[in-house]
Amino acid sequence: MPTTTTDPNQKQAELSPDELQRYSRHLTLPEFGREGQEALKNASVLLVGAGGLGSPAATYLAAAGVGRIGLVDFDSVEASNLQRQILYGTSDVGRPKLDAASERLEDLNPHVDVETHEVRLTSDNALDIIDQYDVVADGTDNFPTRYLVNDACVMTGTPNVYASIFRFEGQVSVFATEDGPCYRCLYEEPPPPGLVPSCAEGGVLGILPGFIGTLQATEVIKVLTGVGEPLVGRLLMSDALNMDFRTVNVPTNPECPVCGDDPTVTELIDYEAFCGLPQSDESSPNGTADSDVSDTDDAVPETSVHDLKQRRDADDAPFVLDVREPYEAEIASLDADQLIPVDDLEARLDELDAGPEEEIVVHCRSGARSAKATAFLREQGYDASNLEGGVLAWSEEIDDSVPQY
């Protein structure tokens, strides 16, 4: 059965002559036909994220004729987005993503109403926003927002079509349906902070969000129209390197704290605290599916890029430790004294060329991994501080010849 929140007593919008021509390839599908197309026309979808996954999902949902599409994002287009976020072009760099996305979708299909929510989805607004739509497509890349979207979908009775990507791998499923599991049934607890790097840190094959986002859009259409068998109770996993697809069953957990028989989470909580992250206004925009923004640890001392530059110019430079991966140093270098990846630092501490009495400034790409490394070094008795903003800040504020990635 199709999933809609439309008032059954309200007259359903019918297809216009122009729409009959536009959607003719749908109408000739016996399993889909006019009934399926009109179900799409009278349906609404909220895409949480207008980035790597949101780009293909929004494009195909608009082309398919979903009547009302909502977009949640508050990020701007960056040059590094263009490798995978196909809603945007070079001329859009620096523009708010929602401005560029809505223009593209409205040009693609003027029969679709595009609504924009240029806000950070939070526990204060998630229920109100999500409850306006029939289905949610979650394309975020950070765990606090994934759990927030899941819980809000369960509480509002809104199906959650979930997708995620990392490097060469992707996942798709349908959560929070009436008889199916939710995201917490699969992942009851988030991983420890820093265990799973962001796409900015770990990389992502540019075409991967294209076909995973298209699979996500396919599941949205199936849920809205009742055509086929959605991935309810199943998780589709893809490995693009080997072009391998497999599906595993995801049972409903009767003890799930949100959708179980006796739920203990009955209202939205502090999801950053739940995921063990420090609260910050600069945390990953839950709009972007593969955001380049990372959380930093405010508990460690920080050195600004300007301070480091001044001290280098005065021949009073501290020891600089790069905790990125070697391939990152090949892309952009700050001429660090030594490189030890953050995940290797504990095991290789005896290789560190600086002693506990020497001042150390630790850097990474944006400041998140270096904050973790700084905290560890200080626990071991080293005089370490975190380079605020990392390579990105150095490139933006000191030397724009240093590539951003």
Side-chain angles (χ1 to χ4, degrees), residues 187-201:
Y187 301 114
E188 183 173 348
E189 298 289 339
L195 181 64
V196 181
S198 70
C199 287
E201 297 171 348

Side-chain angles (χ1 to χ4, degrees), residues 175 179-182 184-186 233-234 248-254 259:
F175 295 121
D179 300 318
C182 76
R184 284 194 192 233
C185 293
L186 177 63
R234 296 179 294 154
V248 297
N249 292 328
V250 181
T252 301
N253 179 8
C259 75

Side-chain angles (χ1 to χ4, degrees), residues 262-332:
D262 188 20
T264 56
V265 179
T266 57
E267 59 184 22
L268 300 182
I269 61 175
D270 183 338
Y271 291 89
E272 291 191 348
F274 173 68
C275 293
L277 299 176
Q279 292 195 19
S280 170
D281 291 339
E282 300 300 321
S283 60
S284 178
N286 43 55
T288 44
D290 44 6
S291 169
D292 293 342
V293 180
S294 300
D295 293 295
T296 57
D297 188 342
D298 295 331
V300 298
E302 291 192 321
T303 296
S304 74
V305 291
H306 293 281
D307 288 342
L308 179 59
K309 176 66 165 59
Q310 290 174 0
R311 293 188 59 182
R312 281 181 164 180
D313 291 344
D315 293 327
D316 181 34
F319 184 91
V320 177
L321 175 66
D322 185 348
V323 293
R324 299 174 298 159
E325 297 296 325
Y327 68 85
E328 293 180 88
E330 294 179 2
I331 299 172

Side-chain angles (χ1 to χ4, degrees), residues 62-180:
V66 173
R68 185 162 61 93
I69 294 177
L71 301 172
V72 179
D73 206 307
F74 65 90
D75 206 0
S76 296
V77 180
E78 299 179 2
S80 63
N81 299 151
L82 303 181
Q83 164 250 16
R84 62 203 176 280
Q85 298 184 20
I86 59 171
L87 266 179
Y88 315 110
T90 302
S91 61
D92 294 316
V93 171
R95 298 183 64 196
K97 284 185 176 179
L98 294 190
D99 289 352
S102 58
E103 285 182 12
R104 169 61 182 140
L105 298 179
E106 289 164 359
D107 178 62
L108 176 64
N109 191 347
H111 300 285
V112 173
D113 292 329
V114 179
E115 301 173 345
T116 58
H117 305 272
E118 195 168 3
V119 296
R120 179 171 181 262
L121 202 66
T122 67
S123 297
D124 293 329
N125 61 24
L127 293 175
D128 290 338
I129 293 175
I130 287 174
D131 201 33
Q132 301 174 40
Y133 297 88
D134 298 322
V135 172
V136 168
D138 179 9
T140 59
D141 79 334
N142 64 89
F143 290 101
T145 311
R146 287 178 186 167
Y147 283 96
L148 168 63
V149 170
N150 174 80
D151 294 0
C153 283
V154 172
M155 293 174 191
T156 59
T158 308
N160 172 20
V161 180
Y162 156 83
S164 66
I165 52 174
F166 180 64
R167 292 180 174 165
F168 298 93
E169 299 177 354
Q171 299 182 348
V172 184
S173 190
V174 178
F175 295 121
T177 60
E178 184 176 355
D179 300 318

